[in-house]
Amino acid sequence: MVFTALTMVLTPGPNMIYLTSRSISQGRRAGLISLAGTGLGFIIYMLMTNLGLAVVFVAVPWLFIGLKVAGVAYLAHLAWQALRPSGRGVFDVRDLSRDSTGRLFRMGLTTNLLNPKAAIMYLTVIPQFIDPQRGHPLLQGLVLGLLQIAVSLVVNALIVMAAGAIASFLARRPSWATWQRRTTGVLLGTVALLLAGEVPDRARI
């Protein structure tokens, strides 16, 4: 479970891109405040899933399908932004407006709630690790969810703290920055293709 959570968080996505951009443009404090909002988003997903509210996606399948299609489209857009000749990488410096503490928190929360990776983690990945023979499924789901949140927050906090240094390092080495951008684009495109392959299967259920 820890390896799966680590793989998911290390794959560039909306959360990483937003947190990195905010940290570079407004400082580590802004990045950590945004990360707090992201953490709340994970808690909301965890509670929804384990308390059974996610059954709505089963009762109304097109909602889940729509979420996945939107997620695929967004990831494909991010991949194109990174791969196109004039594209930018995760650690490229961006000119963003300076936001208040409240707005930083809300943006972190919103970014995560709209993040297809978070939805997929709680709706399809974590349930695979629950074994009814090992105890109450609800308790297992909460423990696994908290484990995933801990891994995500620690890794993203390290990224936030190092974002400025990494951006400066890449700025002095254009060729490294280009390969970083291309790698990010390929990873995002791969995730988008994998998710796109699952949409028809879900639609036939």
Side-chain angles (χ1 to χ4, degrees), residues 25 36 38 44 50 55 61 72 76 79 109 116 118 129 133 136 159-160 166 192 194 204:
S25 65
T38 298
I44 291 174
N50 287 286
V55 73
V72 168
L109 171 61
F129 293 91
Q133 297 182 353
H136 199 287
I159 292 174
V160 165
I166 295 174
L194 291 174
R204 288 194 294 268

Side-chain angles (χ1 to χ4, degrees), residues 7-73:
T7 300
M8 290 290 285
V9 73
L10 288 177
T11 303
N15 285 350
M16 183 185 292
I17 291 174
Y18 174 73
L19 293 172
T20 301
S21 299
R22 185 54 64 185
S23 301
I24 293 174
S25 65
Q26 198 170 334
R28 293 174 178 173
R29 179 177 178 275
L32 292 175
I33 292 172
S34 300
L35 179 59
T38 298
L40 178 58
F42 280 129
I43 291 174
I44 291 174
Y45 267 119
M46 180 184 68
L47 294 177
M48 284 181 61
T49 303
N50 287 286
L51 294 179
L53 297 181
V55 73
V56 172
F57 289 111
V58 177
V60 189
W62 63 266
L63 285 177
F64 187 85
I65 296 170
L67 175 66
K68 237 176 187 184
V69 170
V72 168

Side-chain angles (χ1 to χ4, degrees), residues 78-142:
L78 294 178
W80 167 245
Q81 291 297 314
L83 290 173
R84 63 194 178 97
S86 58
R88 308 180 74 174
V90 174
F91 292 98
D92 289 348
V93 177
R94 292 165 171 78
D95 295 324
L96 298 178
S97 60
R98 298 186 66 84
D99 292 325
S100 64
T101 298
R103 179 170 174 76
L104 288 170
F105 184 87
R106 291 192 300 271
M107 286 297 295
L109 171 61
T110 301
T111 299
N112 200 23
L113 290 179
L114 297 178
N115 182 3
K117 283 172 57 180
I120 291 168
M121 171 66 75
Y122 283 96
L123 293 173
T124 63
V125 177
I126 289 181
Q128 297 179 30
F129 293 91
I130 296 177
D131 184 358
Q133 297 182 353
R134 295 185 176 181
H136 199 287
L138 174 59
L139 180 59
Q140 290 186 58
L142 291 175

